[in-house]
């Protein structure tokens, strides 16, 4: 779903009136036909994270022979826009008065606005013809943004590999990934050996925009075989582990896979017993032939002796 908010700065009158009520400031008036629509699947951005960046399309920009528009992000306080970014994005206004921006990541992170302020993206342009621009006739077009507070993920730690030989732990080492932290949070990290005592020096890790911190370590010195524990502790707390995980220094013999038993081929189905069988018929027939043959042979013998 997209939302648009359209205003023209040229129509903003800084009218002041000396009256008992004080100074009056006119609100932004609607622009004459310009509009911008955020092309992102969602106009929601997370605090301190632009994600895939800002994408938008704009139409109705009254530029005769093209020109350049500038894009900023910031907050609206009534008619007053305060930019977060220090450098605007220059983007061409195509013939026909259209603009398009894809994946722009400003040089400032999105912030949760103070009460009464509205996050917005602003596109401004000069009415140009050829190379001549009327800089006194600047038009501003706005589209609202939504900045959602950052929500940390579930705390966790992943240590790879889970086992090293002494040589491997000294040369290749191991890696840790810690999740569930606040954005850009710094935490302490230390290791205890199989005897429960701290092994080596402490380290400091810093989370990224997603609340994830990573580190690569090796061990040196008198390395004992056994289980080591990685401790991650938040600063300013009571030194209780935020998360912890274990890894082993040992022989690290890969487990022997259990062989898969051979598939059992079922026996061929047998005919039901009916009192007779093919075997019986064959046996009976064979006996009959044998008897007939014996009689014939005896008859022939008798005929030769006769």
């Amino acid at each position: 779903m997209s939302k648009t908010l359209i205003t023209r700065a040229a129509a903003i009158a800084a009218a002041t009136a000396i009256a008992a009520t004080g100074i009056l400031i006119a609100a932004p008036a609607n622009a004459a036909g310009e509009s911008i629509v955020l092309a992102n699947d969602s106009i929601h951005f997370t605090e301190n994270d632009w994600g895939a960046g800002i994408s938008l399309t704009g139409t109705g920009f009254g530029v005769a022979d093209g020109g350049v528009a500038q894009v900023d992000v910031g907050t609206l306080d009534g008619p007053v826009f305060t930019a977060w970014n220090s450098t605007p994005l220059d983007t061409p206004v195509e013939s026909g008065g259209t603009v398009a921006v894809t994946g722009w990541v400003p040089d400032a992170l999105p912030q949760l606005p103070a009460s009464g302020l509205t996050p917005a993206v602003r596109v401004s342009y000069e009415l140009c013809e050829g190379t001549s621009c009327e800089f006194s006739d600047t038009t501003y077009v706005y589209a609202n943004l939504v900045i959602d507070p950052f929500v940390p993920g579930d705390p966790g730690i992943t240590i790879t590999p889970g086992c090293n030989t002494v040589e491997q732990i000294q040369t290749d080492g191991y890696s840790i990934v810690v999740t569930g932290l606040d954005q850009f949070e710094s935490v302490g990290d230390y290791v205890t050996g199989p005897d429960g005592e701290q092994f080596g020096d402490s380290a400091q890790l810093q989370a990224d925009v997603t609340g994830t911190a990573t580190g690569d370590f090796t061990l040196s010195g008198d390395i004992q075989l056994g289980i080591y524990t990685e401790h991650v502790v938040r600063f300013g707390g009571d030194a209780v582990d935020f998360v912890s995980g274990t890894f082993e220094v040992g022989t690290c013999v890969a487990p022997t896979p259990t062989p898969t038993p051979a598939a059992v081929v079922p026996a061929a189905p047998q005919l039901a017993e009916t009192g007779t069988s093919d075997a019986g018929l064959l046996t009976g027939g064979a006996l009959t032939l044998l008897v007939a043959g014996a009689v014939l042979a005896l008859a022939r013998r008798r005929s030769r002796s006769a």
Side-chain angles (χ1 to χ4, degrees), residues 201-229:
D201 299 327
S202 299
Q204 183 172 322
L205 307 175
Q206 185 175 33
D208 60 15
V209 70
T210 68
T212 301
T214 61
D216 298 305
F217 303 99
T218 58
L219 300 183
S220 60
D222 184 16
I223 301 174
Q224 307 171 52
L225 300 183
I227 302 298
Y228 289 72
T229 303

Side-chain angles (χ1 to χ4, degrees), residues 134-229:
E134 300 175 16
F135 291 100
S136 60
D137 187 17
T138 302
T139 297
Y140 298 111
V141 188
Y142 299 88
N144 287 352
L145 301 175
V146 177
I147 308 300
D148 294 320
F150 174 75
V151 179
D154 295 331
I157 184 171
T158 302
I159 304 175
T160 53
C163 185
N164 286 276
T165 64
V166 172
E167 181 180 358
Q168 289 170 336
I169 207 72
Q170 291 173 325
T171 55
D172 301 332
Y174 63 98
S175 301
I176 70 170
V177 177
V178 180
T179 57
L181 297 167
D182 291 328
Q183 291 177 310
F184 313 117
E185 179 181 3
S186 293
V187 291
D189 170 86
Y190 68 97
V191 178
T192 53
D195 57 2
E197 298 295 323
Q198 180 171 335
F199 189 94
D201 299 327
S202 299
Q204 183 172 322
L205 307 175
Q206 185 175 33
D208 60 15
V209 70
T210 68
T212 301
T214 61
D216 298 305
F217 303 99
T218 58
L219 300 183
S220 60
D222 184 16
I223 301 174
Q224 307 171 52
L225 300 183
I227 302 298
Y228 289 72
T229 303

Side-chain angles (χ1 to χ4, degrees), residues 197-276:
E197 298 295 323
Q198 180 171 335
F199 189 94
D201 299 327
S202 299
Q204 183 172 322
L205 307 175
Q206 185 175 33
D208 60 15
V209 70
T210 68
T212 301
T214 61
D216 298 305
F217 303 99
T218 58
L219 300 183
S220 60
D222 184 16
I223 301 174
Q224 307 171 52
L225 300 183
I227 302 298
Y228 289 72
T229 303
E230 196 86 17
H231 304 263
V232 176
V233 181
R234 281 179 148 159
F235 292 119
D238 52 5
V240 176
D241 286 356
F242 172 67
V243 289
S244 64
T246 61
F247 62 94
E248 182 181 359
V249 176
T251 56
C252 303
V253 177
T256 303
T258 303
T260 303
V264 178
V265 179
Q270 301 294 323
L271 295 176
E273 292 292 338
T274 59
T276 61

Side-chain angles (χ1 to χ4, degrees), residues 38-76:
L38 293 176
N40 305 65
D41 292 336
S42 171
I43 63 173
H44 286 253
F45 294 94
T46 304
E47 178 185 8
N48 294 322
D49 188 7
W50 289 117
I54 295 174
S55 298
L56 60 85
T57 55
T59 58
F61 288 75
V63 181
D65 295 326
V68 176
Q70 291 188 326
V71 186
D72 295 276
V73 289
T75 53
L76 279 168

